[in-house]
Amino acid sequence: MKRRLVIPLVVAAILLALGAAAACDSGDEDLDALRAEAEALCPAQFLEPCIERYISFATGSLEAALCITPDGKWFMETTQGAIGDACSDPDGVIVAIVGGE
């Protein structure tokens, strides 16, 4: 009787471990996709700090807009418009809206 109980427990443990591994892989893929998205949008001269902030906001609970100015400066701000709308800096343009639920 005890032997029959052990086998389902072992199978359940294996399935749980496989599910956790798959979830971790999915998270890495999501992060890689966000990084690629940020690389395509962020100004080259500020690439790394912009990518970090973009990912931080994209994975956060608050919705934020990535604003880019004509001179290549960037900033994240709480969004009050849509992609293409002006940012709080009238020269800035919203190029992406990320985060939030």
Side-chain angles (χ1 to χ4, degrees):
M1 184 78 148
K2 288 182 183 179
R3 187 170 279 189
R4 289 184 189 170
L5 182 59
V6 171
I7 292 172
L9 289 176
V10 170
V11 170
I14 291 170
L15 290 174
L16 183 61
L18 289 173
C24 288
D25 288 343
S26 176
D28 290 344
E29 289 172 9
D30 291 345
L31 195 56
D32 288 343
L34 279 175
R35 185 173 227 352
E37 189 176 296
E39 284 178 6
L41 296 170
C42 289
Q45 66 268 36
F46 304 109
L47 196 58
E48 284 306 313
C50 181
I51 288 171
E52 288 175 23
R53 294 284 289 165
Y54 187 91
I55 291 172
S56 174
F57 276 97
T59 57
S61 60
L62 295 176
E63 189 175 69
L66 172 60
C67 296
I68 307 286
T69 61
D71 59 358
K73 293 185 178 157
W74 67 275
F75 54 97
M76 298 293 295
E77 69 177 22
T78 304
T79 183
Q80 296 188 15
I83 293 173
D85 285 353
C87 302
S88 59
D89 176 335
D91 292 333
V93 175
I94 297 173
V95 296
I97 298 174
V98 296
E101 292 295 322

